[in-house]
Amino acid sequence: MDRPTVRIPGIPRMARLVDGLRAAGTAVGTRTARLGNGFPAAGRTPATPRTARLVDGLLAAGTTVAVLAGTVRLGGRLDAAGTLPLALWLGALLLARRRRPLVVLLLGVQAVIVFRTSGLTDAGWVWPASAAYATLAADDRPGRPGLPWAVGVGLAELAFAAAWETSAGGATAREALGSLGPEALWLAVLLAAATAHRNRLRWRAELDERLLRAARERDLEAGRRIAEARLDIARELHDVVGHTLTVVGLQLRVAAEALDDSPDEARDALSTAQQVRTEALRDLRALVHVLRAPGEDRPAEPTAGIAEIAALVDRMRSTDLDVRLDTAGDLTTVPAPVSLAVHRIVQEALTNTARHAEASRAEVAIRCGDGRVEIHVTDDGRASAHPAAPAGHGIRGMDERVRALGGDFSAGPRTKGDGWLVRAAIPVPGFRP
């Protein structure tokens, strides 16, 4: 008798899943390496203690030189007993600016006030402590509101300076305004620049946090996709290999029984078994090739869907098992993911029937309509011989396929009579055959 052409679908699809798994795993490792130390995505590298000390030392030296040079530039006195110790004190305070910025500013302002009111120097009121003001205003640590303190200290110092100039200094209000106005403007510009720098640091920190959070979410998603790919590979391998071995076993049994009485039938059965074996071996070699050399060309993927169910039923039919197929609706319009799931469900259900149920008859019914595809596979075998759902990978795999598409699945003994019933209903939104 004529035998249908045998195609064993699924192995090349498994190969594609393996490629996706490999790519996802590589992406996870790359991102993990990049995010292992700090936040390299935004280019921020925390300053080391040695670098911080070097910066503080340079800033202290620069402040000392700036106070001396500024005093000379503004026509002030450069006394060894006045401006020089003030400059050295203001510079030395900056060595502790990271740990105690408010204390550094208060001590610096107090030193300026003491030296000015004692007549030891005629340097400015605000600008000698510019670095201390900027450090406090730019302080961005939680629970330490540096900017309000810097503004308050600056206003208090200017108010004291104005009162001192107009009382003890004998200056008029116009002269005090002319003397302190530039310093007030300098303080405003300085605090604005420090605030802008602080806001930039905050923005960078928030950006780093968002990038890190997004990278972690991508890693979680990649891990989930890896798990799904591994599950798909295991499910495809179970379905295809299990079905192939079952078909080969059936055909070999037919050949053994018909060898003496019907050599032609035995020859056809052996030919079908050989064809099944060849197809499976070819696809397995393709998968091994992908695992060893991903990305290279491989054979095109065979189709698998509702259209191939008739050939599947013919392969499963034998002298011991009569399989009947009943379909309703336009099967050709079913989307590919649903079509593949239907094919796999029928394939696994018939494989279980042939291997475990000791049945003589099986019926496959597929109905397309009302936005869903329904599959019923029944047999008249012993229900107790079927694998239980918790222990059988095949039943669990069918359930996973259907649940992934939003459908319902059940498998168990028939309510009336002997046998086993596999039922699945898969919704297809917008599908009205």
Side-chain angles (χ1 to χ4, degrees):
M1 61 180 178
D2 295 336
R3 298 288 177 173
T5 301
V6 179
R7 298 289 286 174
I8 306 299
I11 294 293
R13 179 173 181 267
M14 292 160 50
R16 190 174 65 249
L17 293 174
V18 170
D19 286 346
L21 188 151
R22 187 190 305 274
T26 302
V28 170
T30 301
R31 282 194 294 271
T32 302
R34 291 178 57 194
L35 295 172
N37 296 312
F39 306 94
R44 290 188 63 186
T45 302
T48 62
R50 182 176 180 180
T51 302
R53 289 194 297 270
L54 177 61
V55 172
D56 293 343
L58 292 176
L59 188 59
T63 297
T64 301
V65 174
V67 171
L68 297 175
T71 301
V72 174
R73 183 69 178 80
L74 296 175
R77 302 192 315 274
L78 190 61
D79 297 336
T83 305
L84 180 59
L86 175 63
L88 292 175
W89 174 249
L90 293 177
L93 286 175
L94 293 178
L95 297 177
R97 68 185 187 92
R98 296 180 185 271
R99 295 187 300 274
R100 297 289 187 271
L102 178 58
V103 174
V104 168
L105 177 61
L106 292 176
L107 292 178
V109 170
Q110 183 183 29
V112 171
I113 292 176
V114 169
F115 275 78
R116 283 297 304 267
T117 56
S118 301
L120 297 176
T121 182
D122 51 4
W125 291 90
V126 173
W127 68 264
S130 296
Y133 273 110
T135 297
L136 182 60
D139 190 11
D140 196 34
R141 284 171 287 185
R144 304 181 69 165
L147 180 61
W149 277 103
V151 173
V153 172
L155 293 178
E157 185 180 13
L158 288 174
F160 177 86
W164 176 266
E165 292 285 354
T166 56
S167 59
T172 63
R174 183 183 183 88
E175 293 173 343
L177 180 62
S179 174
L180 297 177
E183 293 211 61
L185 179 61
W186 168 252
L187 179 62
V189 172
L190 182 67
L191 295 182
T195 302
H197 177 67
R198 183 200 62 186
N199 293 338
R200 180 175 179 273
L201 292 180
R202 286 181 177 179
W203 172 79
R204 291 281 299 275
E206 293 175 359
L207 177 62
D208 291 339
E209 182 63 25
R210 287 198 300 268
L211 291 175
L212 182 61
R213 188 182 305 114
R216 288 173 176 169
E217 292 175 356
R218 287 194 299 268
D219 288 346
L220 292 176
E221 176 65 17
R224 185 187 64 81
R225 293 178 62 183
I226 288 175
E228 291 180 353
R230 292 179 61 184
L231 182 61
D232 287 341
I233 292 172
R235 189 163 52 231
E236 292 288 342
L237 188 61
H238 173 274
D239 292 349
V240 173
V241 174
H243 172 69
T244 301
L245 294 177
T246 300
V247 171
V248 170
L250 287 175
Q251 299 302 327
L252 290 178
R253 187 170 60 186
V254 169
E257 293 175 353
L259 186 60
D260 296 329
D261 299 334
S262 181
D264 292 338
E265 184 178 355
R267 187 178 298 107
D268 291 339
L270 290 175
S271 176
T272 300
Q274 179 65 24
Q275 188 176 1
V276 170
R277 176 259 184 197
T278 302
E279 292 286 341
L281 183 60
R282 185 201 63 188
D283 290 336
L284 287 173
R285 283 176 176 172
L287 176 58
V288 172
H289 176 74
V290 170
L291 293 174
R292 290 181 176 272
E296 297 184 5
D297 294 338
R298 54 178 175 266
E301 177 182 356
T303 59
I306 295 179
E308 288 72 35
I309 290 182
L312 171 66
V313 169
D314 288 339
R315 290 200 303 268
M316 300 299 301
R317 189 179 291 120
S318 66
T319 56
D320 295 330
L321 179 62
D322 181 25
V323 185
R324 297 181 181 180
L325 175 62
D326 181 22
T327 61
D330 189 359
L331 305 181
T332 61
T333 58
V334 177
V338 178
S339 181
L340 174 62
V342 172
H343 185 280
R344 290 294 189 225
I345 291 169
V346 173
Q347 173 183 286
E348 181 61 24
L350 292 180
T351 300
N352 287 339
T353 297
R355 294 176 60 185
H356 304 291
E358 299 179 4
S360 61
R361 185 180 70 257
E363 296 181 359
V364 178
I366 303 176
R367 300 285 186 271
C368 301
D370 298 329
R372 56 194 286 151
V373 178
E374 295 185 356
I375 308 101
H376 291 79
V377 181
T378 60
D379 61 54
D380 60 353
R382 295 186 300 110
S384 59
H386 274 273
H393 295 289
I395 292 180
R396 184 163 59 243
M398 289 188 287
D399 181 69
E400 290 170 351
R401 288 183 186 277
V402 175
R403 302 293 178 189
L405 295 172
D408 298 322
F409 175 83
S410 63
R414 297 171 61 180
T415 56
K416 296 181 179 180
D418 295 332
W420 189 267
L421 168 64
V422 173
R423 177 189 173 277
I426 304 175
V428 184
F431 172 58
R432 294 292 186 272

